[in-house]
Amino acid sequence: MLKLIAEDYIDPAKIEFVLPLYEELVEKTRQEPGCISYELCQDLKNPGHFVFIEAWKDYDALDAHVASEHFQRLVPQIDAYTVGEARFTHLEKRF
């Protein structure tokens, strides 16, 4: 199993525009066959900081997610409202 933490930094004044995009992304991603879990959290101290906590069957499942229609369509729209560079941390459970 592959775990991923993906962080977005959104302009706080634009959150209302991004939330419907995130909602669709989460809904459709959770239906993907290799998706084990896909959660979106919002930082309580920094409302423009969003964190995805993801679990995937393997790298092939993650690659299929990134290539999916909804990812390819929604992520560029979300990125239009970013104020900082996204961060990605790939993790593998050891014990």
Side-chain angles (χ1 to χ4, degrees), residues 17-88:
F17 300 110
V18 173
L19 287 178
L21 302 171
Y22 277 147
E23 184 176 11
E24 181 181 355
L25 180 62
V26 169
E27 179 183 310
K28 291 189 174 179
T29 298
R30 286 180 176 165
Q31 297 172 20
E32 294 178 34
C35 179
I36 297 169
S37 68
Y38 196 79
E39 299 177 23
L40 176 62
C41 303
Q42 187 175 14
D43 188 328
L44 294 174
K45 293 184 179 181
N46 178 1
H49 180 206
F50 289 86
V51 179
F52 287 91
I53 302 169
E54 310 174 24
W56 297 94
K57 179 181 168 190
D58 52 29
Y59 268 107
D60 289 340
L62 178 59
D63 290 344
H65 166 61
V66 172
S68 70
E69 181 279 330
H70 57 272
F71 186 95
Q72 291 293 316
R73 177 175 47 84
L74 294 167
V75 170
Q77 293 177 59
I78 293 165
D79 287 348
Y81 299 105
T82 60
V83 293
E85 188 172 334
R87 292 179 43 182
F88 304 93

